[in-house]
Amino acid sequence: MALLNSEHPPSKILIAIVLSLVVASSPNVYPLSPTMATLRPMFMIMVLVFWLLFQPRYVGLFTAFMVGIAADLLMDTHLGQQAFAAVAMVLALRICSIQIKHLTTLNAWFLASIGLIVFQLSLWMLQLINQSLFVAQSGLSLLMSIISWPLILLVLRGFAR
């Protein structure tokens, strides 16, 4: 995992984390046509995954839970569904990252893909159990998130060093 260098003091990193999550919440609520909305990546969750991988000292279960609650409120889903999925994602990422000694770009993309898949599978499971609802179109959003995650890595990597 990336260690915190003296390049950025903790207060600047915390400000970058909060601002990036706030900015990432905007595209999630921007109105799009139903066809385009199915292709919208999960920006907030992608940014959360980035910070979980590159700043685990500052971002963990509590942050994931709070981001999930915020996502539930912003996207009008049942309260706690995205929070539960985010916490499940954190646990999966922590388990998978135990064996990785050096976090390369490819390793980070692989871990992010696992995290996003666990998040979406958890969300599908909860929606199926609670609402008898299965939205297969969100699989396209998952695919777009996995494909576009390197862009998040490119934009935010400077703050993780």
Side-chain angles (χ1 to χ4, degrees):
M1 295 292 165
L3 296 176
L4 179 67
N5 293 341
S6 60
E7 225 176 283
H8 296 292
S11 61
K12 286 190 179 184
I13 292 172
L14 293 175
I15 290 170
I17 291 169
V18 170
L19 281 177
S20 65
L21 287 168
V22 168
V23 168
S25 69
S26 299
N28 283 342
V29 295
Y30 188 79
L32 294 173
S33 69
T35 306
M36 291 303 293
T38 59
L39 297 174
R40 178 188 352 229
M42 302 177 281
F43 290 107
M44 237 169 113
I45 303 305
M46 292 164 52
V47 170
L48 176 63
V49 167
F50 174 84
W51 291 118
L52 285 166
L53 293 176
F54 289 97
Q55 289 297 334
R57 180 176 178 187
Y58 298 109
V59 179
L61 282 173
F62 179 75
T63 306
F65 180 77
M66 295 310 292
V67 167
I69 291 290
D72 284 327
L73 294 172
L74 287 171
M75 292 180 234
D76 199 28
T77 57
H78 284 250
L79 193 61
Q81 285 185 346
Q82 293 199 39
F84 176 84
V87 168
M89 176 189 68
V90 171
L91 296 175
L93 284 174
R94 296 283 193 241
I95 290 169
C96 291
S97 65
I98 289 173
Q99 297 300 319
I100 296 179
K101 303 296 181 212
H102 183 66
L103 194 59
T104 63
T105 302
L106 192 58
N107 288 344
W109 195 0
F110 176 72
L111 285 173
S113 299
I114 289 173
L116 291 168
I117 290 168
V118 167
F119 178 84
Q120 190 61 56
L121 289 175
S122 300
L123 205 53
W124 276 336
M125 179 189 66
L126 286 173
Q127 290 172 345
L128 195 58
I129 290 170
N130 290 335
Q131 302 162 290
S132 298
L133 176 71
F134 180 74
V135 183
Q137 291 87 356
S138 54
L140 293 173
S141 176
L142 172 65
L143 183 61
M144 291 302 293
S145 298
I146 291 171
I147 291 170
S148 61
W149 194 82
L151 295 174
I152 299 292
L153 182 69
L154 182 68
V155 170
L156 294 177
R157 193 128 202 197
F159 296 105
R161 295 180 185 183

